[in-house]
């Protein structure tokens, strides 16, 4: 058995054993507050979110020591897993009443203000969080994004400069401020330093093996069956290369009366993991029995999220691009939208965002371009195979001609046009991606062409290929 699957089996077995252990501890002593807390922790890890809520609430009602930690964890379950922002806020406020200087609760409260577009409150709370943890630049870096008036000359800018030598997050913050001030050479230098530092601490990225594995699975595995007739409430999956407008597209759908956003739901990554896959690695194709089980869990997931009957959900997770086969295996009536954007703007945006280490390509401009090329290949494969199920959506078309682009899109989805979609930026729903502030602004041409600010270093890296509308592929 490959080492990856051995490790996966070990992790899943450990999770099951811990969950069973704390369930037995609670059964043996229903007044054990610590046992309830630990049951909440492991239930959340296992994806049993309603059980996690009950367990955390049980630990609090039984008088657990330092209840603010349980309250903060409970708020995270509500916010990140159950999309219930109001309950999350209530628990964080209770935690801060008990301990006003509790950093985790304060930071999470700032995070929710950020997610819901409350800029003033986010700035206030990130500032307070930064004072509680002066050696950690993360709250300051988030403050930079929330407060567009900050500059390198500000106290925040100076503090980030002081921390930049030892903290990658500080370098990203410095880069943002340098760009804001028009100092593009210094901004790129900070990004390069930040990404090179991250690259040293990550496993080597195997471009050719990775590409061959992904494309090989597409070309050799049988195509999933699809339904010839969509259900009225068929789900819509929004996916594609990172930083290509998937959050924007979901917000546009969220303004439509027929759609309810799930955000970056953790459901499919969890199922892919159970099938031996990963963020960018397709899992084993599910058997007919597994398909039925996954579909039942999906329906339970929607119920937990409070999705009403007759309403379509949008599941916006870019890396689901690698798992279209599994999604269509389980939900053959699903519609899939693949976002695409000028590869040069995509590259600058990805390079300027600190991503999870699983996105090993993100610290190298050439690898970002190559990965974007691969995403185009995957999208082309599925559009050709299922043109009535999979459709590309151009970021530039959305920006240049949103009305016509969206009208045609909703016709393809089988939905009526809703003019409210053009006022998506007025929503105060929770957005949990790096585009949290961009989607609070109306569409405009300023969203295009950012790469030209960095044309000189990009030209040194790509030469004449920088003028090609298609991203270059790394040599194998």
């Amino acid at each position: 058995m490959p080492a990856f699957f051995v490790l996966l089996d070990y992790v899943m077995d450990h999770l099951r054993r811990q969950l069973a252990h704390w369930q037995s501890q609670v059964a043996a002593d229903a007044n054990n507050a610590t046992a309830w807390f630990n049951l909440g922790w492991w239930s959340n890890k296992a994806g049993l979110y309603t059980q996690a809520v009950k367990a955390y609430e049980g630990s609090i009602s039984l008088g657990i020591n330092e209840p603010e930690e349980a309250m903060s964890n409970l708020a995270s379950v509500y916010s990140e897993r159950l999309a219930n922002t109001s309950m999350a806020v209530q628990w964080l406020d209770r935690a801060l009443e008990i301990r006003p200087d509790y950093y985790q609760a304060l930071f999470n409260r700032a995070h929710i203000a950020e997610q819901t577009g409350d800029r003033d409150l986010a700035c206030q709370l990130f500032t307070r969080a930064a004072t509680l943890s002066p050696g950690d630049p993360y709250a300051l870096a988030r403050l930079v994004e929330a407060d567009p008036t900050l500059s390198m000359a500000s106290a925040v800018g100076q503090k980030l400069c002081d921390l930049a030598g030892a903290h990658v997050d500080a370098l990203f913050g410095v880069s943002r401020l340098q760009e804001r001030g028009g100092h593009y050479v210094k901004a790129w230098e900070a990004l390069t330093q930040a990404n090179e530092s991250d690259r040293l601490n990550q496993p080597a990225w195997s471009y050719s093996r990775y590409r061959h594995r992904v494309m090989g699975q597409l070309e050799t595995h049988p195509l999933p069956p699809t339904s010839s007739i969509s259900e009225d409430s068929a789900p819509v999956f929004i996916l594609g290369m990172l930083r290509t407008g998937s959050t924007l597209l979901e917000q546009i759908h969220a303004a439509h009366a027929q759609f309810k956003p799930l955000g970056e739901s953790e459901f499919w990554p969890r199922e892919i993991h159970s099938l031996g896959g990963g963020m960018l690695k397709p899992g084993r194709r599910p058997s007919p029995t597994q398909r039925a089980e996954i579909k039942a869990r999906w329906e339970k997931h929607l119920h937990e999220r409070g999705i009403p009957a007759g309403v379509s959900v949008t599941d916006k997770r870019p890396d689901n691009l690698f798992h279209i086969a599994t999604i269509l295996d389980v939900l053959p009536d699903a519609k899939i939208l693949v976002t695409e954007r000028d590869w040069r703007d995509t590259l600058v945006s990805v390079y300027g965002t600190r991503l999870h280490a699983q996105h090993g390509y993100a610290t190298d401009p050439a690898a970002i371009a190559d990965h974007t090329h691969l995403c185009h290949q995957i999208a082309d494969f599925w559009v050709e195979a299922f043109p009535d199920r999979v459709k590309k959506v151009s970021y530039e078309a959305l920006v240049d001609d949103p009305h016509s682009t969206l009208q045609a899109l909703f016709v393809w989805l089988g939905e009526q046009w809703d003019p409210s979609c053009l006022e998506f930026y007025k929503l105060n729903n929770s957005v949990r991606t790096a585009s949290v502030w961009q989607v609070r602004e109306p569409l405009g041409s300023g969203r295009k062409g950012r790469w030209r600010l960095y044309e000189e270093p990009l030209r040194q890296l790509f030469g004449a290929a920088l003028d090609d509308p298609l991203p270059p592929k790394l040599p194998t």
Side-chain angles (χ1 to χ4, degrees), residues 2-267:
F4 174 83
F5 294 112
V6 173
L7 177 61
L8 176 63
D9 289 343
Y10 171 80
V11 170
M12 298 303 295
D13 182 62
H14 178 68
L15 176 59
R16 286 189 291 267
R17 285 188 286 107
Q18 288 290 333
L19 191 61
H21 171 75
W22 291 110
Q23 285 172 329
S24 66
Q25 291 295 304
V26 165
D29 182 1
N31 294 316
N32 186 333
T34 300
W36 279 106
F37 179 92
N38 287 324
L39 179 59
W41 173 270
W42 289 103
S43 295
N44 185 40
K45 288 283 188 182
L48 304 173
Y49 304 126
T50 54
Q51 179 172 294
V53 165
K54 292 177 182 178
Y56 278 131
E57 288 179 342
S59 73
I60 295 166
S61 66
L62 290 169
I64 192 168
N65 292 332
E66 300 181 347
E68 63 272 19
E69 181 181 358
M71 292 174 181
S72 183
N73 290 355
L74 180 54
S76 292
V77 178
Y78 272 120
S79 174
E80 303 299 320
R81 306 305 185 189
L82 296 175
N84 191 332
T85 303
S86 62
M87 285 300 297
V89 167
Q90 289 181 39
W91 282 108
L92 288 173
D93 288 347
R94 283 186 60 179
L96 291 169
E97 286 176 6
I98 296 170
R99 186 178 160 192
D101 64 346
Y102 184 36
Y103 175 85
Q104 196 58 55
L106 188 62
F107 184 91
N108 288 347
R109 185 66 185 87
H111 186 42
I112 289 179
E114 177 186 58
Q115 291 173 346
T116 54
D118 190 337
R119 194 180 293 273
D120 290 341
L121 182 58
C123 290
Q124 174 193 333
L125 296 178
F126 279 133
T127 300
R128 285 177 55 193
T131 62
L132 292 176
S133 184
D136 181 359
Y138 193 49
L140 289 174
R142 298 289 281 275
L143 179 59
V144 165
E145 297 297 330
D147 187 350
T149 69
L150 291 174
S151 68
M152 283 301 302
S154 67
V156 171
Q158 294 304 306
K159 181 64 175 177
L160 285 171
C161 277
D162 293 341
L163 296 171
H167 295 280
V168 171
D169 286 313
L171 285 166
F172 278 102
V174 166
S175 175
R176 189 75 180 100
L177 290 176
Q178 293 286 18
E179 179 181 314
R180 190 176 291 170
H183 307 298
Y184 306 123
V185 173
K186 291 182 178 180
W188 188 262
E189 288 174 350
L191 282 186
T192 300
Q193 186 179 347
N195 281 288
E196 287 180 351
S197 179
D198 266 347
R199 194 182 313 140
L200 290 173
N201 297 311
Q202 295 176 2
W205 185 252
S206 177
Y207 310 118
S208 59
R209 184 178 64 181
Y210 167 70
R211 173 184 292 280
H212 292 160
R213 182 179 66 197
V214 172
M215 293 307 298
Q217 286 180 303
L218 282 182
E219 292 165 359
T220 59
H221 287 194
L223 293 174
T226 59
S227 173
S228 59
I229 301 176
S230 283
E231 298 177 7
D232 291 340
S233 58
V236 175
F237 290 84
I238 302 173
L239 39 80
M241 176 64 182
L242 290 173
R243 314 299 293 153
T244 57
S246 57
T247 302
L248 170 64
L249 190 57
E250 182 170 61
Q251 278 296 93
I252 288 170
H253 279 78
H256 192 290
Q258 181 58 27
F259 291 93
K260 179 79 172 177
L262 288 179
E264 293 196 346
S265 168
E266 78 294 333
F267 179 85

